[in-house]
Amino acid sequence: MTVSHPAGPRTAVLCGPYLSGKTTLLEAMLFEAGALRRRGKVDDGSSLGDGAPEARAHTMSTELNVASTAYLGEAWTFIDCPGSVELAQEALGALTVADIAVVVCEPDPDKAPAVAPLLRQLDAQDIPHMLFINKMDQGAASVRATMAALQAASARPLVLREIPIRDGETVTGHVDLVSEKAFRWEPDTPSSLIALPDSASDRESEARTELLESLADFDDALLEKLLEDVSPSTGEVYETLAKDLAGNLLVPVFFGSAANAHGVRRLLKALRHDTPECSVLAARQGLEVVDAASDAARVRIFKTLHAGHAGKLSIGRVLRGRVGEGDTIAGMRPAGMNRLFGAAHERVSEAECGSVVAFGKLDAVTTGDLVSPDAVLGRPGWPDAPPPLFAQAIQAESRSDDVKLPGNLQKVIEEDPSLVTFHDETTGEFILGGQGQMHLTLALEKLQNRSGLTVRAAMPRVAYRETIRKPVKRHARHKKQTGGHGEFGDVHIELKPRARGSGFAFEQKIHGGAVPRQYIPAVEGGAQDALACGPLGFPVVDVSVTLTDGQHHSVDSSEMAFRKAGSQAIRDALPEAGPVLLEPINAVTLSVPTVHTPRLQRIIAARRGQILGFDAKAGWEGWDEVQCQIPAAEMQDLIVELRSATQGAGTFESHFDHLQELTGKDADRVVAMQAEAAE
């Protein structure tokens, strides 16, 4: 069989849930390609990837790991993505430059929900992908059960490319359904070609028929042959598979054991034969496919790193044209181009179409930018960062480092756009938000490792408010005589509660100039000063203040005197107006696999929440959405509990909905904590 391979470097992204074995698979692929002399291990920190101190400390991938190499004379870049759901933005960015994605998962149908969001994302972005079911050396491993569970999450049919050969419960090899050849797995050496076992013959025939029928759904000529009982040639089947994969019509399924290098060579060969060339990706992203040698380069920046003395590195893929040494990128001349192999950098003088390289010191370019030689062309097709699900209030441990914190933290955020910072105007805190507790822990560790800044983190304070239950009238006089002009302001006010959410209102009913018109705004300002902190220690909302009467002095009255009088009147009135604490209530939509939906009632009830309703999640078979209201004070670690209860699959969306009275022991506890903090 003659197979023509695409010209130019290609890129494959390894993605999948945490602990599925992606980094181990990358080690095995690089070893098989001859790029590594020995396979490293994640557990002992000897793997090519995960070189960051944070990754070593937690024995997990914390950022993209890029390795450019060659396999059988062809240029490849493999990008290993973190599996933690809290670091999903890393994978989403890498997928924008992927010719193909390899979704790595475990052979356990109960863990399929953790893969579902990724499969749906790949379908939505129209990215060709294949499945690699890892850890097939486990005794209870089941390819068909895992496929059945995953099919519900995929809009494309999952198609077996091979079936396992078993010796009892142990998988000892595989049968290729296209070539119909059988192979026995050997420890750390290429598989041995063997005769098709009698025990696998019937299963192989059935599985191959299913494969051909799946292909015939997209090929009328093949369908006609099958209807006429004509068996297509092996070459025809390979060609049809490659065409359908490039068109993202189906998802081939492979399996093996990355830790034992089983099935890895088969996966590499499938990638080599079936992965489309870079022009397919360029067309998918709206770039005209033209003669690369005569057209201006287009580069997608998909990752930013701040590499110590090397400065800022912008990792990008050339989607069109080529970039030579001395050429400009976005109007800037990069400080060199480097091919990446884990932590190793190799200087290159040219990057052809399809290459992945790191450009030095492109200060005006950010992650996600599509750039030409002269300009930044925007961020077409770049995924929006998800809204934060977990937040902490942070401050530098040393007051002298306060001024350094924002700038150094911004470098961390440049590397991970799913992190956000903002000042909470209500509480005065500096907030760091992200996708979970580990996400923020890693960000702060990175900050300390790279800049030496130690940061204290705590749960953010809740923006409680207070209001009043009954109207009160008060008279206040501010009088002060210290020689020369004195201070005099006299007001009568009426303080009333308003409907929840209606805010503050001020009006005046002065007759006969008892309070001169120019001083009335000062009374309003004084009232607002006093309402900034009520008797319970929080801002007072949803009240009206009416100025009904007063007195003035022709010499001693002033705006300041009436402002002080207005403030004093409100402070005197508030304790007698029935102050009550208000807590913010959020509208929350929880999204979980249906099998976990019954657990939500307990989670919501334990957080003083109220379920409003639930329904099937649109377009997500086997998932539910639950609408509820939960106090903001109970939201702070919701994502931690939700993921724990749903094997990492659950998530939520939330926004402020309304303020609600809080009474009893809960209110007493909040007021006591506020008083303690104010001391």
Side-chain angles (χ1 to χ4, degrees):
M1 178 185 66
T2 301
V3 178
S4 60
H5 302 297
R10 287 175 288 172
T11 294
V13 170
L14 310 184
C15 51
Y18 175 56
L19 295 180
S20 59
K22 298 177 299 301
T23 301
T24 302
L25 178 59
L26 175 65
E27 290 286 316
M29 294 170 72
L30 294 175
F31 179 77
E32 179 64 37
L36 292 176
R37 293 183 177 180
R38 60 180 294 273
R39 289 186 289 129
K41 296 182 179 179
V42 175
D43 292 341
D44 62 13
S46 62
S47 61
L48 172 79
D50 303 343
E54 308 80 49
R56 302 289 192 200
H58 296 280
T59 61
M60 61 179 282
S61 298
T62 58
E63 57 191 2
L64 297 180
N65 181 38
V66 180
S68 294
T69 186
Y71 177 61
L72 297 181
E74 297 175 2
W76 281 90
T77 295
F78 299 107
I79 303 177
D80 174 29
C81 302
S84 170
V85 66
E86 299 182 22
L87 305 175
Q89 185 69 16
E90 291 278 295
L92 295 181
L95 288 171
T96 63
V97 298
D99 295 315
I100 194 166
V102 179
V103 180
V104 185
C105 63
E106 297 184 63
D108 183 351
D110 291 338
K111 295 183 178 181
V115 190
L118 176 58
L119 291 178
R120 288 188 167 90
Q121 184 70 33
L122 291 167
D123 286 337
Q125 291 185 241
D126 198 26
I127 298 172
H129 53 287
M130 56 178 61
L131 280 175
F132 183 79
I133 302 176
N134 193 22
K135 303 184 181 181
M136 286 297 292
D137 51 330
Q138 298 177 352
S142 173
V143 172
R144 286 197 176 273
T146 302
M147 275 186 63
L150 292 172
Q151 184 62 76
S154 176
R156 275 72 174 170
L158 307 184
V159 179
L160 270 177
R161 284 288 308 269
E162 54 195 8
I163 62 169
I165 299 173
R166 295 181 181 271
D167 182 3
E169 293 297 317
T170 304
V171 178
T172 60
H174 71 271
V175 180
D176 187 295
L177 294 178
V178 180
S179 66
E180 298 188 275
K181 294 179 179 179
F183 299 86
R184 182 176 62 243
W185 290 343
E186 306 288 353
D188 297 317
T189 58
S191 301
S192 301
L193 180 65
I194 60 173
L196 179 64
D198 292 339
S199 60
S201 180
D202 290 342
R203 288 188 294 113
E204 188 275 336
S205 179
E206 177 187 355
R208 191 171 196 273
T209 298
E210 292 176 359
L211 168 63
L212 295 178
E213 289 176 348
S214 296
L215 295 178
D217 288 339
F218 309 105
D219 191 308
D220 291 341
L222 179 58
L223 176 60
E224 185 175 344
K225 284 189 175 184
L226 296 182
L227 292 175
E228 295 175 354
D229 290 329
V230 176
S231 180
S233 69
T234 299
E236 286 179 289
V237 179
Y238 276 124
E239 184 179 349
T240 303
L241 275 166
K243 179 185 66 176
D244 290 349
L245 179 60
N248 197 23
L249 300 176
L250 49 75
V251 182
V253 179
F254 300 87
F255 57 84
S257 169
N260 298 306
H262 294 158
V264 174
R265 174 174 287 194
R266 181 70 196 91
L267 176 65
L268 277 169
K269 287 185 176 180
L271 287 171
R272 181 171 180 258
H273 285 283
D274 298 344
T275 300
E277 60 186 3
C278 185
S279 61
V280 176
L281 170 63
R284 192 169 70 238
Q285 297 200 359
L287 301 178
E288 291 182 357
V289 182
V290 295
D291 181 9
S294 63
D295 200 288
R298 297 289 185 269
V299 180
R300 168 75 79 177
I301 304 300
F302 65 92
K303 178 65 178 177
T304 299
L305 290 175
H306 289 274
H309 68 278
K312 179 178 176 179
L313 293 177
S314 300
I315 305 175
R317 188 174 189 207
V318 182
L319 300 180
R320 190 176 74 184
R322 63 183 63 231
V323 180
E325 190 169 21
D327 291 349
T328 60
I329 294 290
M332 295 168 285
R333 199 175 303 279
M337 296 187 296
N338 291 274
R339 182 181 293 115
L340 303 180
F341 190 74
H345 296 185
E346 178 190 358
R347 189 72 174 256
V348 295
S349 60
E350 184 179 69
E352 64 179 305
C353 182
S355 298
V356 172
V357 292
F359 299 95
K361 299 182 179 179
L362 296 180
D363 293 335
V365 173
T366 60
T367 303
D369 286 345
L370 181 68
V371 298
S372 71
D374 301 319
V376 174
L377 305 176
R379 305 157 68 86
W382 185 256
D384 293 332
L389 301 175
F390 188 86
Q392 290 181 325
I394 61 172
Q395 60 179 350
E397 191 169 84
S398 172
R399 294 295 297 272
S400 62
D401 289 335
D402 280 346
V403 68
K404 303 176 185 177
L405 179 58
N408 283 282
L409 191 56
Q410 186 57 40
K411 292 182 180 180
V412 177
I413 295 173
E414 265 196 284
E415 297 187 8
D416 183 356
S418 60
L419 292 167
V420 296
T421 58
F422 60 92
H423 281 279
D424 189 321
E425 295 181 359
T426 303
T427 64
E429 294 175 313
F430 187 48
I431 304 297
L432 174 65
Q435 298 305 298
Q437 191 169 19
M438 177 57 73
H439 191 199
L440 300 195
T441 296
L442 292 171
L444 295 180
E445 287 180 2
K446 185 180 292 186
L447 177 69
Q448 182 173 11
N449 290 334
R450 298 187 182 183
S451 66
L453 290 177
T454 303
V455 172
R456 291 198 300 265
M459 287 295 185
R461 295 200 297 270
V462 177
Y464 291 101
R465 296 291 187 268
E466 57 184 279
T467 191
I468 59 174
R469 287 197 176 107
K470 60 184 180 180
V472 174
K473 296 180 179 179
R474 269 294 168 270
H475 166 234
R477 172 177 291 180
H478 174 71
K479 183 177 181 181
K480 187 175 183 181
Q481 193 70 40
T482 56
H485 288 301
E487 297 180 10
F488 182 87
D490 186 290
V491 296
H492 293 257
I493 61 97
E494 185 174 3
L495 180 66
K496 293 181 180 180
R498 301 187 75 204
R500 191 76 66 245
S502 56
F504 170 76
F506 179 86
E507 63 176 318
Q508 58 88 14
K509 297 181 179 179
I510 297 298
H511 301 285
V515 176
R517 185 172 300 275
Q518 67 267 28
Y519 298 144
I520 292 177
V523 178
E524 179 180 358
Q528 291 180 313
D529 291 343
L531 293 173
C533 184
L536 304 181
F538 300 95
V540 182
V541 297
D542 300 336
V543 297
S544 67
V545 175
T546 303
L547 176 61
T548 59
D549 201 0
Q551 297 182 51
H552 73 283
H553 188 278
S554 59
V555 176
D556 293 340
S557 289
S558 64
E559 289 186 6
M560 181 57 68
F562 274 98
R563 189 180 189 100
K564 292 179 178 179
S567 180
Q568 185 61 51
I570 297 299
R571 283 197 296 269
D572 292 345
L574 283 172
E576 298 182 17
V580 60
L581 191 65
L582 298 176
E583 68 170 341
I585 305 296
N586 284 7
V588 184
T589 300
L590 302 166
S591 178
V592 299
T594 302
V595 67
H596 300 303
T597 302
R599 302 182 182 182
L600 295 187
Q601 184 172 357
R602 175 187 57 81
I603 294 174
I604 294 169
R607 294 173 181 271
R608 298 186 290 118
Q610 179 184 5
I611 295 178
L612 303 180
F614 70 93
D615 203 349
K617 185 172 182 178
W620 286 59
E621 182 180 345
W623 282 62
D624 288 335
E625 284 188 336
V626 178
Q627 288 78 37
C628 60
Q629 293 181 343
I630 300 178
E634 306 288 347
M635 292 289 300
Q636 292 175 331
D637 62 346
L638 172 61
I639 189 59
V640 177
E641 183 178 12
L642 185 61
R643 286 176 177 151
S644 176
T646 61
Q647 296 183 320
T651 188
F652 69 84
E653 295 180 356
S654 172
H655 63 270
F656 169 77
D657 189 74
H658 66 280
L659 292 170
Q660 179 175 290
E661 287 190 15
L662 180 64
T663 58
K665 293 182 179 179
D666 289 330
D668 293 341
R669 176 178 52 82
V670 171
V671 173
M673 291 176 61
Q674 180 70 3
E676 182 179 347
E679 291 179 354

